[in-house]
Amino acid sequence: MTLSPLAAVVPQHAIRFVGHDTHQHELPHLVYVVSGRAHFTAGDRAAYRLAAGESVWLAARVPHAVRVSDGGLVLGPLLDAEDAPPGPVMRLPALPEVSRVTTVLLGAAPTTEAQIAPFRRALGEALRAACARYFPLVEPRHPVARAIAREALRHPDTLERLARRHHMSARQVQRLFLAETGLAFARWRTRARLNSAIPELLAGTPATLAAARAGYTTRSGLLRALARECEVDADELRRDPRIALSDRVA
């Protein structure tokens, strides 16, 4: 038996059962699969088939679309502005705390802003905790350095080119990163990219695809960075990144 007739009973919630065409939000956003399966696309950035419990964490203003299998259910809660992922699109494996919050959200069905706000905060905390299992990072406070940090995850440009685009010297940017994040720019960018790649690898995404989505030009570049930053044997990573990482970051 299909659930399509039941899914249409409350028209404003039908998109949870069938999905929606390409659109974007002014706030960070979570696409969470409660049951069944869903096909998620974000332009040419990403395309994922998601199973129950899996999710995609999106930055603000990232165009995306979702198609839900018959009998599936997807939630799409917005998040607070500060709860953005390390990169534009971040696939997440099943995370118990995220599942717990979204289950309560589904049952509570908040409607007013006062009711919704605690759930947004709880989801943000759960997502930040998930990233903290890998490499906790802070963005620089200086507005230009912060803009460069965000661009650095989307573009392979060198620090010199990024700085020049914002009318600042590479030395100035480097000083800001060290002072405000505690890390040199190159290491900050490496760890931010790994925060994006590790959940992909743990979810079974091929390393070549995970590398490209995280901003690496080659699979070997990603694996070298993982071996160095996670202190994982390089040969183990080459054989099976998912198994090599599971005991180190789970």
Side-chain angles (χ1 to χ4, degrees):
M1 182 185 78
T2 70
L3 294 179
S4 298
L6 291 176
V9 169
V10 184
Q12 65 266 36
H13 296 320
I15 61 172
R16 298 179 180 178
F17 299 93
V18 298
H20 44 66
D21 294 328
T22 302
H23 68 295
Q24 59 184 318
H25 302 283
E26 293 302 308
L27 289 168
H29 179 49
L30 185 72
V31 175
Y32 176 84
V33 182
V34 178
S35 63
R37 292 184 176 274
H39 183 254
F40 169 92
T41 56
D44 58 358
R45 293 181 185 274
Y48 303 123
R49 293 192 179 277
L50 303 171
E54 296 179 337
S55 56
V56 177
W57 188 7
L58 292 159
R61 296 179 293 281
V62 173
H64 63 282
V66 181
R67 286 286 169 264
V68 185
S69 61
D70 187 53
L73 172 60
V74 169
L75 292 183
L78 296 174
L79 303 165
D80 288 328
E82 61 269 23
D83 292 325
V89 181
M90 184 173 184
R91 180 181 180 172
L92 297 172
L95 298 169
E97 185 60 17
V98 171
S99 296
R100 187 189 70 80
V101 175
T102 50
T103 299
V104 178
L105 172 64
L106 184 63
T111 56
T112 68
E113 185 58 36
Q115 292 171 345
I116 292 168
F119 287 95
R120 283 188 178 177
R121 287 196 297 272
L123 272 177
E125 289 170 3
L127 292 166
R128 289 196 303 274
C131 278
R133 294 185 309 163
Y134 312 125
F135 298 106
L137 293 174
V138 295
E139 281 193 341
R141 297 185 302 277
H142 189 282
V144 173
R146 187 165 62 246
I148 288 173
R150 292 175 179 176
E151 281 187 32
L153 300 180
R154 301 192 301 270
H155 303 295
D157 289 343
T158 63
L159 174 57
E160 287 73 18
R161 288 181 179 176
L162 289 166
R164 193 180 310 126
R165 206 151 52 230
H166 289 270
H167 310 290
M168 188 176 277
S169 73
R171 183 174 295 180
Q172 286 175 298
V173 176
Q174 191 72 269
R175 281 201 301 268
L176 285 168
F177 267 81
L178 283 170
E180 298 184 0
T181 74
L183 295 171
F185 170 82
R187 195 167 195 197
W188 188 96
R189 176 153 71 174
T190 293
R191 291 190 163 197
R193 285 175 169 174
L194 294 183
N195 277 342
S196 176
I198 288 171
E200 294 249 24
L201 295 170
L202 291 174
T205 300
T208 300
L209 188 54
R213 289 172 176 166
Y216 287 92
T217 55
T218 64
R219 175 181 186 270
S220 60
L222 169 61
L223 297 184
R224 282 196 301 271
L226 283 168
R228 182 177 64 251
E229 295 293 335
C230 296
E231 298 181 355
V232 180
D233 182 78
D235 290 335
E236 290 180 21
L237 282 168
R238 280 191 289 272
R239 283 193 295 271
D240 193 327
R242 186 176 188 177
I243 292 176
L245 289 169
S246 58
D247 292 335
R248 306 299 178 96
V249 300

